[in-house]
Structures are given as structure tokens and as C-alpha cells.
């Protein structure tokens, strides 16, 4: 194989109660990337469309992941990369994770699948460190595995695929303001009261059980975040109104996507997800903020060849 074109999905990390530990992939929103082998063994980013990102491979998540994988594999070729971003960085929808995991997947294909899926997650986490300062696995694992994932442990890394109910849909509103993951992490409490911690891990257990049991009501009542949401929602215009509008119109629940500012809502069925879209739209229209709205099935495939 000399070149490859891939789709790398947007992802929702945390899913409210699973800070740094849960995530899922979208089906129809994500970036496109093209990778071409070259003989001079250099790694170059030739094109970036849709976002302002560094072309320096040591500062670009994709370039860095490609470099690391090829050096470790002692590859006898280099790579020319083209990146087509379809949604903005700083959205809370795993933009850097799409670049990192898309690169890990594509380079592995060009190396005749030298690495395991877990190793790809580890390489993609290096890209996350370049882009946002920490080796976080929730977005990249969701992008690579597809569906819902749980990062059961960071050390050693242990990723679990969680079953996804067939009728689960997500609606996302992305206000066009930028919240850097680093800023979203700096506001988090350094200590958490035991009472709150109990609530959070009980909800995470509830969410995982609900997904496994196809129990939509259990999923709905488990999507609660008593740790990050109370401080992070302050960055997001009209967050409480949007959240209320989701449940008022029959959606299951809503929360902050990753570190924000996007807000995700889960629904049973596409029709309900469209109603949620209209409800979110009603809250934001005429408020003078630009925004994008998306409805997607949960993306079961993750990164894929186009
Ligand atoms: N779990 C991360 C956070 C998601 O909430 O900061 C961003 O990668």
C-alpha cells in the first residue's frame, strides 16, 4: 500500500459522569486525512484545510504521531500528510484526537498493521499531549474503537468496549467560541468531597449498566456530572437553558462534550434526536452567537479507510 485516505470521527469524551474515562464516537462528523509514502524518509504536512494548525511536525499532533510510529518501526519510508478538518479545534469534540487517532490508524495500515489497537491508542495519546498538554485516552480510544469505550485504567492502559444500544442518537450544539482543553482542565477542583465522588462513580456504574442492558431510562438518569460540569458550564453560553430544553422535549439527558463548549444530548431514536436539535436551536437563535448543530447515530466503526 502506497497511500491511504481515512475518516477520523468526532468524539464526545466524559459523557458527563466519566471524566477522562468514558467516550463515544460520532458516525457522520469527522475529519478526512490523506497519507502518502515518500522515499526520502521525511515527514511533511503538506496541506491543512479547515483550521489554523501548525505545520511543524513536532507541534502538530498528526505529524508527531507519524514521526514516532515510523521511527519506532524503523520504517524505510517517510510520509506526506494532508489534513481536512471538518469542525473546529477547541470544540470539545475531540478535534486533536481525530488527527492523532486518524494518523495512528493510517500509519499502521501503511506499516502492514504492525501495531495492536491498544498500541495505536498509546501512540495517539502522544498526539493529545502535543495538542493539549496531557496524554488523555478517552477521545482517542473512542475514535479508534468506535462506539462507547471505558478507559478502565491508564497504567497499565486498559480500554473496554461497552455495548451501544441500537437506537441511541446524539445531538450536539457547538457554539463557535473556543475553549482550550488546558483551560478547561485548569478550572477543575483539585480535591473532591467523598460524597460527590460516590455520586460520580455510582452514576458511571449506572451509565455502563444502562448501555449494556439497553435501559434508556437508566442511561438518562445516570448522565449527571457533579465534578466538572458545575465549573466548566460557566464557559458555555446558556448551558442550563439548553440542558433543560433537551429533557423538556423528551431527550434522555445532556451534558458538556469533553471540556466544552459543545453540549451533547442523547436520545432514543433519530426522530427524537431531531426534536432535540430543534429545541437546542430555539435556545440559541437570536442570541447573537454563531453555532453549529449536528445529529448523528453513535459511530460504531471509529476511524476507517475511505
Ligand atoms: N476528558 C478530557 C477533559 C477531554 O474533559 O478534559 C478532553 O480531551
Amino acid at each position: 500500500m502506497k497511500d491511504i485516505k481515512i475518516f477520523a470521527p468526532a468524539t464526545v469524551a466524559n459523557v458527563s459522569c466519566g471524566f477522562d474515562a468514558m467516550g463515544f464516537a460520532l458516525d457522520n462528523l469527522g475529519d478526512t486525512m490523506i497519507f502518502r509514502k515518500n522515499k526520502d524518509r521525511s515527514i511533511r504536512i503538506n496541506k491543512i484545510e479547515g483550521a489554523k494548525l501548525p505545520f511543524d511536525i513536532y507541534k502538530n499532533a498528526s505529524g508527531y504521531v507519524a514521526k514516532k510510529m515510523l521511527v519506532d518501526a524503523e520504517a524505510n519510508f517517510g510520509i506526506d500528510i494532508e489534513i481536512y478538518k471538518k469542525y473546529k479545534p477547541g470544540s470539545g469534540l475531540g478535534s486533536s484526537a481525530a488527527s492523532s487517532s486518524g494518523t495512528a490508524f493510517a500509519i499502521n495500515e501503511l506499516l502492514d498493521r504492525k501495531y495492536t489497537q491498544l498500541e495505536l491508542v498509546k501512540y495517539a495519546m502522544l498526539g493529545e499531549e502535543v495538542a493539549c498538554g496531557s496524554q488523555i485516552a478517552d477521545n482517542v480510544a473512542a475514535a479508534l474503537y468506535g462506539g462507547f469505550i471505558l478507559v478502565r485504567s491508564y497504567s497499565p492502559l486498559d480500554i473496554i468496549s461497552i455495548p451501544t444500544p441500537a437506537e441511541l442518537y446524539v445531538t450536539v450544539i457547538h457554539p463557535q467560541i473556543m475553549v482550550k482543553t488546558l483551560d478547561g482542565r485548569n478550572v477543575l477542583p483539585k480535591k473532591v468531597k467523598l460524597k460527590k465522588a460516590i455520586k460520580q462513580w455510582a452514576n458511571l456504574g449506572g451509565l455502563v449498566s444502562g448501555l449494556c442492558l439497553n435501559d434508556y431510562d437508566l442511561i438518562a438518569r445516570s448522565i449527571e456530572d457533579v465534578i466538572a460540569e458545575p465549573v466548566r458550564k460557566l464557559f458555555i453560553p446558556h448551558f442550563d437553558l439548553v440542558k433543560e430544553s433537551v429533557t423538556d422535549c423528551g431527550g434522555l439527558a445532556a451534558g458538556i462534550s469533553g471540556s466544552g463548549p459543545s453540549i451533547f444530548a442523547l436520545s432514543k431514536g433519530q426522530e427524537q434526536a431531531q426534536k432535540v436539535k430543534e429545541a437546542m436551536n430555539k435556545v440559541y437563535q437570536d442570541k447573537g452567537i454563531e453555532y453549529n448543530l449536528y445529529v448523528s447515530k453513535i459511530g460504531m466503526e471509529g476511524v476507517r479507510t475511505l
Side-chain angles (χ1 to χ4, degrees), residues 104 234 272:
L234 306 175
Q272 179 59 53

Side-chain angles (χ1 to χ4, degrees), residues 95-110:
S95 174
S96 57
S99 297
S100 306
S101 53
T103 303
F105 174 90
I107 299 290
N108 194 42
E109 293 297 301
L110 296 174

Side-chain angles (χ1 to χ4, degrees), residues 277-296:
K277 181 180 170 183
E278 283 155 32
M280 286 175 156
N281 191 42
K282 230 179 188 171
V283 176
Y284 262 69
Q285 71 188 7
D286 308 326
K287 293 277 198 301
I289 304 161
E290 282 190 38
Y291 57 96
N292 287 329
L293 275 159
Y294 309 101
V295 173
S296 174

Side-chain angles (χ1 to χ4, degrees), residues 226-247:
V226 294
I227 295 172
E229 186 178 295
V231 282
R232 284 182 164 178
K233 73 176 184 179
L234 306 175
F235 291 127
I236 306 171
H238 313 293
F239 176 78
D240 288 326
L241 281 178
V242 172
K243 210 172 148 171
E244 262 172 53
S245 77
V246 169
T247 40

Side-chain angles (χ1 to χ4, degrees), residues 13-14 19-20 136 138-139 181 185 232 258-259:
N14 303 338
F19 178 74
D20 276 3
I136 315 165
D138 48 8
N139 287 106
T181 301
R185 292 179 87 78
R232 284 182 164 178
S259 52

Side-chain angles (χ1 to χ4, degrees), residues 1 63 108 119 127 213 231 262 277:
M1 194 190 279
N108 194 42
E119 285 170 330
L213 297 168
V231 282
S262 291
K277 181 180 170 183

